[in-house]
Amino acid sequence: PIGVAVDSNQHLFISNFGDNGITQCNLDSLGNVDPASCLTSTISTNLNPEGMAIYNGNLYIANNYTSSNLALSCSLAPTGINIGSCMTLSSTNVSNTIRAEDIVFDNYHAFLTYYQYGYIQCNLSAGSIDLNSCIQYTPGVNANMNTPRGVAILNGMIYFVNSGNNSISQCPVNFNGVDTANCTNIMD
């Protein structure tokens, strides 16, 4: 297992890298996992699921498989994930060798980190990712990023976990996206 997400209906989703699937477990009112409820579903043979995020009633799964499919979007129901609804998300604006590792949303964008290089920023439109707006960034040394893998957002800041130099980059994020000119490393 690599990625994890929790929805508002007390379901825990776990990505199974290499097994091409997602495990769903029910949580009790205290947040404890009911092991008997856990079910694993295979989604696609062209999927190495990693990071996951929930946005606008969908579970988004970063795809670390060399292809043009950045992620998958699967609708969520009160009973959990609807595997039959899963759709691949790809963009002609992004290299077809991208291997997405994590995904996060703010009010305006989806951000995906990708294997060894940087991140992808896509605008949100009508409650989903506008795939024609995706831009691939390789910020390098100027943004203090070195192989960003994990990503999180809180209060106007985006945080990238850099596996290349064991640091965390903290960058302002706004309507235009990541302000890489003002990124700082908060942990070395």
Side-chain angles (χ1 to χ4, degrees):
I2 289 184
V4 65
V6 177
D7 73 4
S8 61
N9 290 309
Q10 294 183 272
H11 299 112
L12 176 74
F13 303 100
I14 304 158
S15 62
N16 301 310
F17 183 84
D19 288 341
N20 308 320
I22 302 297
T23 299
Q24 174 183 309
C25 302
N26 295 332
L27 302 173
D28 67 19
S29 61
L30 299 175
N32 297 309
V33 174
D34 173 9
S37 72
C38 296
L39 298 171
T40 299
S41 299
T42 299
I43 296 175
S44 167
T45 57
N46 293 329
L47 174 70
N48 282 332
E50 285 210 19
M52 297 185 293
I54 294 172
Y55 175 75
N56 200 30
N58 291 300
L59 176 67
Y60 288 87
I61 307 157
N63 182 17
N64 190 340
Y65 183 85
T66 304
S67 73
S68 60
N69 298 328
L70 297 174
L72 269 79
S73 171
C74 305
S75 65
L76 294 175
T79 56
I81 191 171
N82 179 356
I83 294 295
S85 74
C86 295
M87 299 182 316
T88 58
L89 304 176
S90 59
S91 173
T92 56
N93 298 346
V94 176
S95 167
N96 67 354
T97 61
I98 291 297
R99 293 169 55 186
E101 295 183 308
D102 205 358
I103 185 169
V104 69
F105 293 84
D106 71 1
N107 292 330
Y108 310 105
H109 308 96
F111 301 95
L112 296 96
T113 57
Y114 66 92
Y115 183 70
Q116 292 185 337
Y117 299 108
Y119 67 95
I120 297 162
Q121 174 180 305
C122 305
N123 294 334
L124 298 177
S125 176
S128 63
I129 298 174
D130 176 2
L131 295 167
N132 294 319
S133 72
C134 296
I135 301 171
Q136 184 175 330
Y137 291 94
T138 306
V141 179
N142 292 338
N144 299 313
M145 291 185 202
N146 188 331
T147 315
R149 296 200 63 178
V151 62
I153 291 180
L154 180 67
N155 297 331
M157 289 294 203
I158 189 165
Y159 304 89
F160 293 99
V161 176
N162 300 302
S163 63
N165 61 3
N166 296 317
S167 71
I168 297 173
S169 295
Q170 173 182 309
C171 309
V173 65
N174 56 42
F175 178 78
N176 296 316
V178 178
D179 180 0
T180 56
N182 289 302
C183 293
T184 57
N185 279 359
I186 59 172
M187 186 175 91
D188 285 319

